[in-house]
Amino acid sequence: MRPEVGVSPGTVPVYYGGGKLMAVERRMKVAEVVLRCLSCAFGVIAAVLVGSDTQVREFFSVEKKAKFTDMKALVFLVVANGIAAGYSLLMVVRSVVSMMKGSVLFNKALAWAIFSCDQVVAYLTLAAVAAAAQAAELSQFGQTELQWMKVCNLYHKFCNQSGGGMVSAFLGSLCMVAVSSMSAFNLFRLYGKNKGKRSGNF
């Protein structure tokens, strides 16, 4: 079955070469939706765990409260995962709507936009996890050369909860890396030899 004529500039008409290709295409879409849902879930969990993390300790009758805003790396982690979760939710809605509508023409400009956004979010989450991991190492072990004392032996609950948030953020970033790889495939296959033989639905 051929799509309707009247293609706007930048849109590539593509066709299925058989039932097997259509099945593969659908499985890729389902996998993408699942990965984006996981990325959204992990992002929300990470933001909630780290953003709500506090602990109060008393030292010589003076109360000291540890909170995530005391460490800029944790603030970055919360913001980055909030952005990633919101973006993933929007893309899940878009993907589900696309699946419900069935086969459509695929626009190169849209493919580039999705690919670029996926790459930015993937790098953002990875950078946030790396920064938080560095801060966590200093909190756990300190740095004797710079006379930075370790604090996790004083704030066990705070460090454990933040650690759980970082693990969730790391898993979410891995999902975004996988999603960005799929969006790269969906984009660059439009420029391949078989762009007129199989569907480029997204």
Side-chain angles (χ1 to χ4, degrees), residues 12 16 20 27 30 56 65 86 95 127 136 142 149 177 194-195:
V12 181
Y16 286 112
K20 290 184 178 179
R27 283 197 292 267
V30 172
V56 178
K65 183 177 183 180
S95 297
M149 62 178 294
V177 170
N194 297 323
K195 68 180 182 181

Side-chain angles (χ1 to χ4, degrees), residues 25-44:
E25 189 77 16
R26 184 168 183 81
R27 283 197 292 267
M28 285 186 61
K29 289 182 181 180
V30 172
E32 179 193 346
V33 171
V34 171
L35 286 172
R36 290 192 186 278
C37 286
L38 289 175
S39 176
C40 180
F42 284 130
V44 170

Side-chain angles (χ1 to χ4, degrees), residues 76-149:
F76 179 33
L77 186 71
V78 171
V79 173
N81 279 273
I83 293 173
Y87 171 75
S88 296
L89 180 59
L90 289 175
M91 294 304 295
V92 166
V93 173
R94 193 207 65 81
S95 297
V96 171
V97 170
S98 176
M99 291 176 63
M100 292 176 63
K101 287 184 177 180
S103 301
V104 295
L105 296 178
F106 193 76
N107 189 282
K108 286 184 178 180
L110 178 60
W112 273 108
I114 294 173
F115 167 72
S116 300
C117 289
D118 285 346
Q119 290 288 313
V120 169
V121 174
Y123 281 117
L124 179 67
T125 53
L126 285 173
V129 170
Q134 180 64 36
E137 182 184 8
L138 291 175
S139 299
Q140 181 68 36
F141 303 106
Q143 183 68 279
T144 55
E145 292 82 358
L146 299 176
Q147 297 184 347
W148 290 346
M149 62 178 294

Side-chain angles (χ1 to χ4, degrees), residues 42 55 58 88 125 128-129 145 148 154-155 160 162 178 183 199:
F42 284 130
Q55 184 178 0
E58 186 175 305
S88 296
T125 53
V129 170
E145 292 82 358
W148 290 346
L154 302 175
Y155 295 94
N160 289 337
S162 294
S183 63
S199 173

Side-chain angles (χ1 to χ4, degrees), residues 39-40 42-54 67-87 121 124-133 158 161-166 168-170:
S39 176
C40 180
F42 284 130
V44 170
I45 293 172
V48 170
L49 284 177
V50 178
S52 63
D53 194 10
T54 60
K67 50 188 182 297
F68 82 100
T69 53
D70 295 333
M71 302 180 69
K72 300 304 180 185
L74 294 183
V75 175
F76 179 33
L77 186 71
V78 171
V79 173
N81 279 273
I83 293 173
Y87 171 75
V121 174
L124 179 67
T125 53
L126 285 173
V129 170
F158 179 84
Q161 185 169 327
S162 294
M166 281 183 268
S168 180
F170 176 68

